[in-house]
């Protein structure tokens, strides 16, 4: 502080003897004899004694303007009259380790020992809706007589200006919280206190203030949160839960953990209390006239949940689910049954069914019954809908398997519209996997014989509850076995087979491929033919030549009586393999006794005789019949004969190749001769065409030369004529262009002159207008300045006052008179040395003045009065 003051000092060195202290300055001087420091206050000239030392050079006094304050540490002690108190040695008394707050006053010096702890600071202006949180650091009693203990806190609320005290510190500025409509603030008590409504609050207690406007928290209150109100509508409700026992806004006691709903009927907006929480917003549940719902654990009339019970609510209705209530399976549509529909119901508990009859039917738990349409049905809470049934329309060729769940009997219903009752269910008929595959492939046994095993399986499996159907094609038969009756029946096509519940197809597993392999062809129906099959067999001749034969057989079943022969055709499981083996054995036996050359020449006759046999007249029979299953082979076709031995095959191939070469060479020679003849003819036609083309070219060249000569003559004549015409046209165009150019130049000159004249006229008018407006503005400015000066002078005169002006005018002469009186002069003459003075007239005036003075005081009084009037 001393360094700061020393930096502001401008009165010379502290060791000087003379100090000029300006007004409103002070300095500290130490009397080294008495060891007392005193304060010297200006304006004065201080002469330092030898036993004195300047501790603080001249320093400017502390000036506290209005609405400001400063803090002085170690202030002086003042008496009751405000005078400074000194001790016996002449030293000012100080209150050490104390503070003094000084407000607006006259400039004052700091006495020895006093320090400026806080510079001059503006007073704090507390605006409206704000406050200062004050805390007492010393015990004191305020202006109202209230005692404050150290540690107490209170608010200084605005609007106002806070005057600080040394016993009080400002902790913070508290601003009011604005509570909007549909808002509230949650407060918490930091200490035991009373709120603004006079309610006692304990430490940590929370409460809600809902009054709209600005709310300024108390000294021991803090704002926890701003709570927004929940706006309730006809379609929304609040699910609340109590955090502790309290009374809600309807003055109803809510226990801790209790849950309830607040709807629009209770209030349009709701601000949660501190002891309740919003679990969620519940949307209204609306049921149409075709809907219903089952409420689980419904709330009773006493407001308590009925655990384990269920309540049916039918539409048309809107309601809110109470806490703890849930909808079983949500909102469900009403069962609307058509004429061909029904519902299977099951009773969960005993009740009286009023929908069955007028008087009602007593239902026991576990009862099952069925209702049929057309009707609308809403199941009561005692009833469970097992399933919905719909009548199944069946054609004459369609059917379903039905099993009675009480007796277990299975039956098939075909060719009618049927609805299962409460004691029936659909039964799935199981088939062997191979039969299932044959049915799902949906192959035609006759047309799709070549596609066996190549068609992919369908994506949708067979409906096992429907009656199995199979279309038997024409000239085919199917064997079906009934395991319950232990009987078989054969169905000849064309026919549609419907399997009963206990019937199964007889699957055929036939040989196939070349050569024949067993179990290649799977089929459900047996083709009756006529058809053919191809087989490859290996034979050996008498001279041990091994040959491979590919033969084709035509066959059919001889069915005369379907009743007797029907079961006979299915007696041989693999009739193809059996027939091929029998034929092959006969052929091998016949060929074994024949030489290769004889067989190569008479293969067809040998094989036919071996297969069909010879009759009594040694002729080959026409058919070969299998009596076991009435299979008849009508013909044998030898498709190929190939030697199995490689050497035999090579020899045979060489002979065949040689014959082919001879035939090929003869054909090539004939073709070559024909080609040469055609070529000679073409050359002759080409030469003749070339001569004709040259003659035509010469004729065309002659025509061209004639046309060129004519064109040259026309060109020379037309060029001269065109040049003459063009020169004449050019001269005419140049003349017209010159005339037009002269006209345009004249018009351009006229336009330029007119535009220049118009521009000069416009410029002169604009300049005259500018000068006129400038002069008007200057006159207006001078007039306004004169008015302003007049008004200013008048305001100054009015502000100073006539008496003040008179005092100022008289101040100079009166001061001169007083100075002359002080010097003992009766008259004086003052000049600046530049203006000449007539001394004779002046002397006469002086004599006259003396005479006037000798004549008495009236002249002096008159002069004084004149000066006063001036």
């Amino acid at each position: 502080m001393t360094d700061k003051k020393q930096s502001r000092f401008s009165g010379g060195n502290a060791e000087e003897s003379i100090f000029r202290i300006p007004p409103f300055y002070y300095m500290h001087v130490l009397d080294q004899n008495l060891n007392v420091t005193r304060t010297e206050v200006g304006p004065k000239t201080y002469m330092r004694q030898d036993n004195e030392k300047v501790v603080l050079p001249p320093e400017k006094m502390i000036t506290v303007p209005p609405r400001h304050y400063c803090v002085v540490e170690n202030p002086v002690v003042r008496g009751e009259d405000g005078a400074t108190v000194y001790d016996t040695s002449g030293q000012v008394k100080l209150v050490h380790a104390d503070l003094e707050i000084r407000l607006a006053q006259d400039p004052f010096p700091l006495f020895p020992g006093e320090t400026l702890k806080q510079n001059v600071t503006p007073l704090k202006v507390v605006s409206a809706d704000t406050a200062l949180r004050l805390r007492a650091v010393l015990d004191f009693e305020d202006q109202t007589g209230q005692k404050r203990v150290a540690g107490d806190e209170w608010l200084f609320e605005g609007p106002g200006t806070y005057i600080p005290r040394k016993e009080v510190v400002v902790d913070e500025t508290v601003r009011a919280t604005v509570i909007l409509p549909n808002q509230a603030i949650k407060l918490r008590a930091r200490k035991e206190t009373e709120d603004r409504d006079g309610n006692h609050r304990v430490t940590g207690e929370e409460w809600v203030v809902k009054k709209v406007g600005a709310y300024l928290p108390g000294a021991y209150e803090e704002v926890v949160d701003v709570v927004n109100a929940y706006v309730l509508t006809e379609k929304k409700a609040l699910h609340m839960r109590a955090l502790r026992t309290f009374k809600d806004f309807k003055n109803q006691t809510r226990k801790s953990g209790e849950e309830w709903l607040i709807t629009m009927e209770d209030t349009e907006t709701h601000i949660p209390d501190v002891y309740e929480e919003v679990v969620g917003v519940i949307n209204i549940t609306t049921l149409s006239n075709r809907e219903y719902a089952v409420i689980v654990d419904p709330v009773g009339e006493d407001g308590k949940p009925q655990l384990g019970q269920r309540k049916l609510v039918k539409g048309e209705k809107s309601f809110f689910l109470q806490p703890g209530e849930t909808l079983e399976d949500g909102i469900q549509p009403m069962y609307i049954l058509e004429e061909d529909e029904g519902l299977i119901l099951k009773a969960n508990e005993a009740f009286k069914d009023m929908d069955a009859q007028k008087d009602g039917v007593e239902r026991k738990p576990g009862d099952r019954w069925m209702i049929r349409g057309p009707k609308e049905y809403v199941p009561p809470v005692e009833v469970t809908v097992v399933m919905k049934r719909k009548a199944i329309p069946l054609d004459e060729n369609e059917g379903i398997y039905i099993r009675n769940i009480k007796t277990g009997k299975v039956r098939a219903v075909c060719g009618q519209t049927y609805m299962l009752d409460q004691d029936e269910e659909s039964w799935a008929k199981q088939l062997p996997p191979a039969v299932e595959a044959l049915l799902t492939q949906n192959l035609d046994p006759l047309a799709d014989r070549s596609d066996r095993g190549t068609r992919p399986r369908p994506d949708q499996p067979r409906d096992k509850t429907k009656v199995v159907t199979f279309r038997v094609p024409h000239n085919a038969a199917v064997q079906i076995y009934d395991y319950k009756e232990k009987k078989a029946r054969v169905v000849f096509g064309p026919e549609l087979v419907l399997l009963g519940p206990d019937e199964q197809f007889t699957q055929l597993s036939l040989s196939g491929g070349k050569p024949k392999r067993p179990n290649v062809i799977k089929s459900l129906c047996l083709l009756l033919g006529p058809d053919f099959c191809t087989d490859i067999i290996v034979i050996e001749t008498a001279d041990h030549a091994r040959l491979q034969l590919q033969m084709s057989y035509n066959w059919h079943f001889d069915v005369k009586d379907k009743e007797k022969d029907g079961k006979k055709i299915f007696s041989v499981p693999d009739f193809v393999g059996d027939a091929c083996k029998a034929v092959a054995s006969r052929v091998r036996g016949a060929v074994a006794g024949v030489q290769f050359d004889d067989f190569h020449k008479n293969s067809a006759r040998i094989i036919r005789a071996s297969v069909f046999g010879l009759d009594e007249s040694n002729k080959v029979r026409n058919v070969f019949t299998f009596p076991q299953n009435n299979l008849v082979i009508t013909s044998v076709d030898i498709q190929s004969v190939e030697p199995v031995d490689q050497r035999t095959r090579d020899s045979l191939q060489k002979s065949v190749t040689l014959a082919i070469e001879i035939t090929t060479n003869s054909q090539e020679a004939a073709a070559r001769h024909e080609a040469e003849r055609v070529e000679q003819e073409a050359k002759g036609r080409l030469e003749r065409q070339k001569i004709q083309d040259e003659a035509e070219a010469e004729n065309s060249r002659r025509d061209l030369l004639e046309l060129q000569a004519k064109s040259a003559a026309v060109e020379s004549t037309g060029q001269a004529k065109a040049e003459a015409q063009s020169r004449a046209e050019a001269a005419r165009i140049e003349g017209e262009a010159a005339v037009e150019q002269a006209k345009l130049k004249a018009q351009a000159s006229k336009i330029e002159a007119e535009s220049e004249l118009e521009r000069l006229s416009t410029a002169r008018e604009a300049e005259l207008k500018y000068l006129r407006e400038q002069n008007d503005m200057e006159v207006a400015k001078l007039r306004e300045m004169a008015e302003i000066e007049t008004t200013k002078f008048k305001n100054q005169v009015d502000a100073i006052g006539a008496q003040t002006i008179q005092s100022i005018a008289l101040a100079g002469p009166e001061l001169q008179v007083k100075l002359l009186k002080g010097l003992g002069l009766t008259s004086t003459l003052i000049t600046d040395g530049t203006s000449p003075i007539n001394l004779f007239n002046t002397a006469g005036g002086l004599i006259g003045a003396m005479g006037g003075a000798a004549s008495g005081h009236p002249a002096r009084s008159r002069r004084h009065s004149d000066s006063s009037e001036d």
Side-chain angles (χ1 to χ4, degrees), residues 65 172 187 208 217 292 305 328 375 465 527 567 569 585 708 840:
E172 62 176 343
L187 302 176
V208 173
Y292 73 96
E328 185 180 53
K375 70 180 304 183
T465 61
L527 300 179
K567 297 180 181 179
I569 61 177
S585 64
Q708 285 179 351
F840 296 103

Side-chain angles (χ1 to χ4, degrees), residues 26 67 123 132 213 256 262 264 266 325 330 396 560 632 857:
Y26 70 97
R67 304 189 66 80
L123 293 174
L132 298 178
S256 178
I262 298 178
M264 188 177 179
D266 301 325
E325 293 182 343
E396 294 180 358
K560 297 178 181 179
V632 179
H857 294 286

Side-chain angles (χ1 to χ4, degrees), residues 627-638:
Q628 298 88 351
N629 56 354
N630 290 344
L631 177 64
V632 179
I633 297 178
T634 58
S635 65
V636 177
D637 181 20
I638 303 172

Side-chain angles (χ1 to χ4, degrees), residues 403-410 423:
R403 185 173 72 93
N404 192 299
I405 60 177
K406 289 186 176 180
T407 62
K409 185 178 179 180
V410 180
D423 297 326

Side-chain angles (χ1 to χ4, degrees), residues 329-515:
D329 298 332
I331 299 176
Q332 304 180 44
M334 182 185 298
Y335 289 96
I336 300 176
L337 303 179
E338 298 179 1
E339 185 178 0
D340 59 343
E341 292 179 338
L343 287 178
I344 296 179
L345 309 177
K346 180 180 179 181
N348 298 323
E349 54 185 278
F351 75 103
K352 191 172 184 178
D353 188 3
M354 302 302 297
D355 293 337
Q357 297 178 4
K358 293 183 179 180
D359 298 334
V361 177
E362 295 292 335
R363 303 289 186 184
K364 296 180 181 180
D367 285 352
R368 291 167 62 101
W369 70 98
M370 183 176 182
I371 61 173
R372 298 176 181 269
K375 70 180 304 183
E376 296 178 355
Y377 183 74
V378 176
V381 294
E382 300 87 1
V383 175
T384 300
V385 178
V386 179
M387 66 178 64
K388 184 177 181 180
R389 289 283 172 81
K390 186 176 181 65
I392 303 173
L394 301 174
D395 192 18
E396 294 180 358
N397 298 328
E398 294 179 334
I400 57 174
Y401 297 111
I402 299 172
R403 185 173 72 93
N404 192 299
I405 60 177
K406 289 186 176 180
T407 62
K409 185 178 179 180
V410 180
R411 62 191 180 92
V413 177
C414 302
Q416 60 178 330
T417 300
Y418 189 82
M419 182 187 297
L420 301 178
D421 60 16
Q422 69 273 8
D423 297 326
E424 293 177 342
E425 66 177 1
S426 298
W427 181 73
K429 181 177 179 60
Q430 300 296 332
L431 296 175
V435 176
E436 192 78 41
L438 291 174
L439 291 175
T440 53
Q441 285 180 358
N442 198 19
L443 293 176
D444 189 344
L446 184 60
D448 299 332
R449 288 178 296 174
S450 60
D451 296 337
R452 300 183 187 276
T454 60
R455 182 171 299 182
R457 293 179 177 270
D459 296 334
Q460 296 182 355
R462 178 183 64 87
D463 188 359
K464 296 182 180 181
T465 61
K466 290 187 177 182
V467 171
V468 179
T469 61
F470 184 78
R471 292 178 176 84
V472 182
H474 175 68
N475 203 22
V478 173
Q479 187 180 33
I480 300 170
Y481 189 80
D482 190 343
Y483 286 90
K484 184 177 181 181
E485 300 293 336
K486 296 182 180 180
K487 292 181 181 180
R489 62 187 178 95
V490 178
V491 180
F492 290 88
E495 187 64 54
L496 179 66
V497 177
L498 300 178
L499 283 188
D502 301 313
E503 291 181 338
Q504 292 289 346
F505 288 104
T506 299
Q507 179 185 351
L508 299 178
S509 181
L510 306 178
S511 298
K514 300 176 186 179

Side-chain angles (χ1 to χ4, degrees), residues 624-724:
F624 176 38
T625 303
F626 293 87
Q628 298 88 351
N629 56 354
N630 290 344
L631 177 64
V632 179
I633 297 178
T634 58
S635 65
V636 177
D637 181 20
I638 303 172
Q639 295 179 346
S640 65
V641 178
E642 295 182 1
V644 177
D645 188 17
Q646 186 63 35
R647 291 180 298 174
T648 308
R649 184 180 300 172
D650 293 340
S651 301
L652 184 61
Q653 186 66 31
K654 286 181 181 180
S655 62
V656 173
T657 304
L658 183 58
I660 293 173
E661 286 181 356
I662 294 171
T663 306
T664 303
N665 291 333
S666 63
Q667 290 178 354
E668 286 181 356
R672 192 182 306 112
H673 178 71
E674 183 66 22
E676 291 177 354
R677 184 182 63 80
V678 172
E679 184 179 0
Q680 291 296 331
E681 292 179 355
K683 286 182 178 180
R685 287 195 298 268
L686 180 61
E687 290 295 335
R688 185 171 63 251
Q689 184 67 34
K690 186 183 296 184
I691 294 170
Q692 292 177 358
D693 293 343
E694 288 178 356
E696 292 178 356
E698 289 297 331
N699 294 331
S700 299
R701 190 177 296 110
R702 183 191 62 195
D703 296 339
L704 176 62
L705 293 175
E706 292 178 355
L707 293 174
Q708 285 179 351
K710 292 179 181 180
S711 176
V714 173
E715 182 177 359
S716 60
T717 304
Q719 184 175 3
K721 183 178 179 181
E723 287 179 357

